[in-house]
Amino acid sequence: MTPQYFQVAVNAPLSGALTYTATQNVQSLLSRGISVQVPLGKRMVSGVILDTTNEAGAFELKDIETINEELPLLHEAYLQWVEWMAKYYMHPIGQILASTFPPLKKKGRSQEPLNSVIPEVIPSKDLSLTQEQDICLQQLLHVEQFQPFLLHGVTGSGKTEVYMQLLKKTLARGKSALILVPEISLTPQLIQRFASRFKDQIAVIHSHLTPREKTQQWWSVIDGEKKILIGARSALFCPIKNLGVIIVDEEHEPSFKQEEKLKYHARDASIVLAKTHNCPIVLGSATPSLESWQNAKAGKYQLLQMKNRVNDRKMPDVEIIDLKSKKDHDEMPNSVDLPFWLSKPLYLALQSNLENKWQSALFLNRRGTAQMALCTSCGSTFECPNCSISLTLHGQSHLVCHYCDYSEKLPEKCHHCESGDIEKIGLGTELVENDIFRLFPHAKIARADRDEIGGRKDLEELIENMESGNIDILIGTQMIAKGLDFPKLTLVGLVLADVGFNLPDFRATERSFQLLTQVSGRAGRHVDDGGKVFIQTFNPEHPSIVYSKDLQYELFADMELRERQELLYPPFGRLALFRLIGNSNDSVEELATKTALRADHLKKSYTQYEPVQVLGPCPAPIVKIRNNYRHQLLLKCPEPSLLQSFCYQLLGDTKWLPAGTKVQPDIDPVSML
Ligand code: ADP
Ligand code: ZN
Ligand code: ZN
């Protein structure tokens, strides 16, 4: 019997699917996974059929009127994954499904060739593997069903070569592959490396493609023209068929977490996608996330390790410089006047690198010329009117909010006391650039941060200039710490490692360790002595610094895991963060009170919720962003499924929310601000 009722996930903020009937002409054609147009209120909306039944609902139903014939039938592995995503991350399933499809119509997409996405390349052949690479590859090759691997390989150990030879075998089995990398590492350099091996087989999806490019790339995968999809996290939503392997490179990267709308973690979502496709998945990193490391230790992931750089190249020599004692020994000859942030050894190394025509890079995770401007007469600072955060100084007189991009001119006189004693405090990349310019007037200097590098084009230009030797000293934020590989870069300085130590985030130490290791990994990748790294800090005894000196990832991880275990933080406890948002301070406080009462009530009414810890609600570390007032409630629990049902009950039907407020659940939160 042809089914008469259809469950449709419509593109609207609804938690479940809606039931529809169908007009005669389409009824017999409908099944799970088909895209349709349906009436919703007075509008027509798109939707995807999730289920068919013969049971009538209680209401009078509307008809499915048309099938979106252009769109492909979504396959079972993908649908099951979307269903998991919606449930786990508490997000409307119809909206997730809507984001599956490309922005433009298919027809006309190949009228003129698009070649900017995949660069022209010279073909390359498989390299003969090092012993470590070979051992890892062999383990990967004989697995064809679901199995997560953690590939822990030091920077420069040749992980990409392992991926490429694995891909080759995957294609030979007639399967396709998905490779996820952080948006920032998805450079032409990286795409070129894959394209030189797999030429016409590669599609690329990231958030900087034009609608036309995205539509074209999407269809080339769906039509089976391209077998390898390389992308940033959003590539997960391309319903690629017949997956034979998923690779997540730099799996520890926080940018795999999307912080808006659907707050998913692409690494975790990839594991589930591999499960629904029943294929292996490789998570690669030089500094695995503690979540993945613990999974490997517990035997859930198979651990593969590469402890050496290829061709016996050494790891860089890392020297820690204590900035506290800098003043004592920094007698400089020839009246060179060193700025407060630059130590003598780093200065001398920069100078000698310059003389020898090698390249150097300086990292500082802070933009601008100064952290803030302060009136020294009355102590007032310049705050953003929209956010509870002080403005950062750029240039000589430009104050900018790093949260909402609000900007104003630095006034001559203090708003409060009219005094003119305004001091600029702190350090940013722009100031480093100014100082370097003064110290090395003949050097070719470039700066890479969000002010200078607006888009992909800027980044590509920068890479070209590094490769062609048009830059002697590169100054940048973490933007340039990721994945880049420059043959002549032999000296790296981390200007101030302390940035980030004191963030109100239980992952702050882990992040610092990862950053330090990544930054060091940029040095000396193509020279035998491994290059030189200077880490300047006021806290040389900080664990992230002590362990990163000798790149002792495992010691670091074990120490950090012990601390997490004591406090039941991930990976031992699961977290869910409920962001409570209101358009006024009163409304958000009312919301916080109500939420606390509901949580309390749940715990009292159901004894099974005993292991769920409720922390807060309390004001968020940044109480106001873009004129929204923010409080938060943190839930902690060792048992994921228990936490999930608690979250659903806590949120309920949302009818209890005061006017002008909303609740945004964030499951496995990454940013706690
Ligand atoms: P990782 O991703 O682990 O940091 P890469 O894959 O970027 O390391 O490799 C570092 C460098 O070593 C690259 O220039 C790469 O071409 C080279 N390389 C990798 N494997 C081999 C090999 N087996 N023989 C020679 N060179 C290799
Ligand atoms: Zn003042
Ligand atoms: Zn702001």
Side-chain angles (χ1 to χ4, degrees):
M1 192 167 77
T2 330
Q4 293 181 357
Y5 303 100
F6 303 90
Q7 297 287 103
V8 182
V10 296
N11 184 7
L14 304 166
S15 58
L18 299 176
T19 310
Y20 285 85
T21 46
T23 53
Q24 285 241 292
N25 57 330
V26 297
Q27 189 177 353
S28 62
L29 304 170
L30 298 176
S31 67
R32 175 167 157 92
I34 285 191
S35 290
V36 292
Q37 289 289 115
V38 295
L40 180 71
K42 293 198 175 73
R43 303 181 293 144
M44 287 298 281
V45 294
S46 62
V48 173
I49 296 177
L50 290 182
D51 211 351
T52 60
T53 70
N54 283 314
E55 271 163 54
F59 304 97
E60 196 182 321
L61 299 171
K62 289 184 180 163
D63 276 339
I64 295 173
E65 292 182 5
T66 48
I67 298 180
N68 283 333
E69 282 179 4
E70 182 187 274
L71 298 178
L73 173 80
L74 295 177
H75 60 268
E76 194 52 35
Y78 182 73
L79 286 171
Q80 283 178 16
W81 176 76
V82 172
E83 285 166 338
W84 179 87
M85 292 285 281
K87 176 150 192 233
Y88 189 79
Y89 292 112
M90 303 179 79
H91 199 83
I93 188 164
Q95 292 184 333
I96 304 180
L97 283 163
S99 71
T100 294
F101 301 108
L104 301 180
K105 288 239 168 286
K106 182 180 188 181
K107 58 176 178 303
R109 71 190 168 88
S110 52
Q111 275 161 358
E112 40 188 296
L114 288 163
N115 43 24
S116 62
V117 179
I118 314 283
E120 283 294 314
V121 287
I122 303 158
S124 76
K125 288 214 176 69
D126 284 358
L127 300 174
S128 76
L129 295 179
T130 65
Q131 199 188 359
E132 280 188 328
Q133 284 173 319
D134 195 44
I135 291 170
C136 292
L137 183 66
Q138 293 313 323
Q139 308 248 22
L140 290 165
L141 286 182
H142 64 250
V143 176
E144 297 187 359
Q145 74 290 6
F146 173 66
Q147 164 71 49
F149 291 88
L150 177 62
L151 175 54
H152 173 219
V154 299
T155 55
S157 58
K159 293 187 285 293
T160 312
E161 187 62 33
V162 174
Y163 301 152
M164 289 198 289
Q165 300 203 14
L166 175 61
L167 290 175
K168 194 172 153 184
K169 278 279 155 49
T170 305
L171 297 194
R173 289 197 287 127
K175 297 274 187 172
S176 46
L178 173 63
I179 302 156
L180 295 185
V181 301
E183 183 88 45
I184 195 80
S185 330
L186 201 51
T187 55
Q189 277 182 318
L190 180 99
I191 298 169
Q192 257 159 7
R193 274 179 87 178
F194 283 93
S196 73
R197 205 65 65 80
F198 300 102
K199 201 166 165 24
D200 314 329
Q201 304 270 25
I202 290 183
V204 175
I205 289 183
H206 54 70
S207 62
H208 295 280
L209 296 182
T210 65
R212 232 182 103 226
E213 287 168 340
K214 167 132 197 241
T215 304
Q216 197 237 15
Q217 295 294 312
W218 193 90
W219 278 107
S220 69
V221 173
I222 298 307
D223 286 344
E225 236 171 86
K226 303 291 167 76
K227 299 281 192 243
I228 299 175
L229 173 59
I230 304 181
R233 59 177 191 233
S234 63
L236 272 172
F237 296 89
C238 180
I240 182 167
K241 268 185 286 200
N242 200 16
L243 265 181
V245 71
I246 302 176
I247 292 164
V248 183
D249 195 28
E250 311 281 0
E251 66 87 29
H252 63 278
E253 263 297 304
S255 66
F256 277 125
K257 176 76 193 294
Q258 176 159 292
E259 298 289 355
E260 288 109 49
K261 294 187 184 142
L262 171 60
K263 298 176 182 56
Y264 69 101
H265 200 300
R267 176 197 58 227
D268 302 342
S270 297
I271 296 276
V272 176
L273 188 65
K275 213 182 261 176
T276 64
H277 275 272
N278 194 24
C279 72
I281 171 166
V282 185
L283 310 178
S285 175
T287 50
S289 64
L290 291 178
E291 285 82 355
S292 298
W293 186 248
Q294 178 60 25
N295 278 330
K297 282 178 60 165
K300 278 176 144 181
Y301 298 174
Q302 190 177 330
L303 181 64
L304 306 173
Q305 286 187 294
M306 302 199 294
K307 300 192 169 181
N308 302 292
R309 283 184 165 178
V310 293
N311 292 341
D312 297 325
R313 282 188 196 123
K314 288 208 191 68
M315 294 305 289
D317 175 33
V318 180
E319 184 170 334
I320 313 284
I321 294 176
D322 186 353
L323 287 176
K324 288 198 297 291
S325 54
K326 171 182 168 291
K327 291 275 174 317
D328 311 338
H329 56 74
D330 278 1
E331 283 298 301
M332 293 298 299
N334 308 332
S335 71
V336 176
D337 183 16
L338 288 188
F340 73 93
W341 59 265
L342 182 58
S343 65
K344 184 173 167 182
L346 179 52
Y347 169 79
L348 293 177
L350 283 167
Q351 193 178 43
S352 105
N353 232 30
L354 202 56
E355 277 164 13
N356 295 312
K357 306 230 180 314
W358 291 103
Q359 288 172 318
S360 311
L362 295 175
F363 293 92
L364 176 65
N365 243 354
R366 196 174 266 168
R367 293 179 287 141
T369 41
Q371 180 63 0
M372 59 176 186
L374 174 87
C375 167
T376 52
S377 296
C378 76
S380 63
T381 57
F382 296 85
E383 289 224 338
C384 174
N386 310 320
C387 311
S388 52
I389 201 96
S390 54
L391 298 168
T392 305
L393 189 70
H394 289 240
Q396 288 310 308
S397 63
H398 195 56
L399 291 168
V400 180
C401 172
H402 284 185
Y403 283 84
C404 72
D405 287 335
Y406 166 88
S407 67
E408 65 178 50
K409 210 170 163 310
L410 179 69
E412 308 259 306
K413 287 190 174 142
C414 170
H415 295 307
H416 290 273
C417 72
E418 305 271 302
S419 103
D421 304 328
I422 294 172
E423 280 242 23
K424 299 161 188 177
I425 294 176
L427 179 61
T429 43
E430 224 177 299
L431 183 69
V432 171
E433 184 188 26
N434 294 344
D435 286 332
I436 288 293
F437 209 69
R438 177 173 60 77
L439 291 167
F440 304 106
H442 302 295
K444 290 170 276 180
I445 296 165
R447 176 158 59 86
D449 56 26
R450 203 152 65 77
D451 298 315
E452 286 296 303
I453 305 291
R456 202 146 275 275
K457 274 270 164 304
D458 293 336
L459 185 62
E460 286 164 23
E461 217 172 276
L462 177 90
I463 291 170
E464 270 172 34
N465 282 329
M466 275 300 278
E467 283 175 342
S468 65
N470 262 335
I471 298 173
D472 298 317
I473 303 176
L474 177 64
I475 296 153
T477 54
Q478 61 179 358
M479 175 177 246
I480 55 169
K482 310 283 164 71
L484 299 182
D485 187 1
F486 302 115
K488 292 190 74 76
L489 181 64
T490 56
L491 171 66
V492 166
L494 188 62
V495 171
L496 189 62
D498 310 52
V499 178
F501 281 178
N502 300 315
L503 288 176
D505 178 348
F506 70 92
R507 291 193 182 88
T509 307
E510 181 184 8
R511 292 279 174 265
S512 292
F513 181 83
Q514 287 163 349
L515 182 66
L516 262 53
T517 312
Q518 292 296 324
V519 166
S520 309
R522 297 312 111 216
R525 293 166 69 90
H526 297 263
V527 292
D528 291 335
D529 72 358
K532 179 91 189 176
V533 175
F534 290 92
I535 295 176
Q536 302 193 126
T537 176
F538 286 99
N539 294 281
E541 64 297 326
H542 192 275
S544 68
I545 292 195
V546 173
Y547 290 109
S548 65
K549 173 166 166 44
D550 301 313
L551 305 164
Q552 304 185 72
Y553 172 79
E554 295 185 28
L555 288 179
F556 172 78
D558 291 343
M559 176 218 63
E560 190 64 17
L561 281 174
R562 279 194 296 277
E563 297 211 346
R564 299 270 181 97
Q565 189 155 27
E566 257 166 47
L567 300 167
L568 201 67
Y569 273 123
F572 301 99
R574 294 296 186 103
L575 296 180
L577 184 73
F578 273 57
R579 286 205 180 75
L580 312 174
I581 297 173
N583 56 15
S584 71
N585 204 29
D586 288 349
S587 66
V588 79
E589 275 176 5
E590 187 190 343
L591 173 62
T593 311
K594 280 192 163 181
T595 313
L597 279 174
R598 284 177 71 88
D600 196 41
H601 182 70
L602 272 177
K603 284 205 44 119
K604 287 204 175 109
S605 314
Y606 301 91
T607 49
Q608 81 259 30
Y609 288 144
E610 149 94 70
V612 179
Q613 292 179 34
V614 179
L615 307 166
C618 62
I622 301 173
V623 176
K624 191 173 78 163
I625 293 183
R626 293 192 169 87
N627 288 317
N628 279 313
Y629 290 80
R630 313 159 77 242
H631 285 221
Q632 58 193 28
L633 180 88
L634 187 64
L635 304 172
K636 223 197 254 187
C637 177
E639 176 48 54
S641 58
L642 198 63
L643 183 61
Q644 183 174 67
S645 68
F646 189 88
C647 287
Y648 270 96
Q649 278 196 280
L650 181 59
L651 190 60
D653 59 7
T654 67
K655 293 204 176 93
W656 56 278
L657 297 183
T661 69
K662 58 189 172 194
V663 175
Q664 292 178 344
D666 184 352
I667 311 301
D668 305 327
V670 166
S671 165
M672 313 292 266
L673 298 175

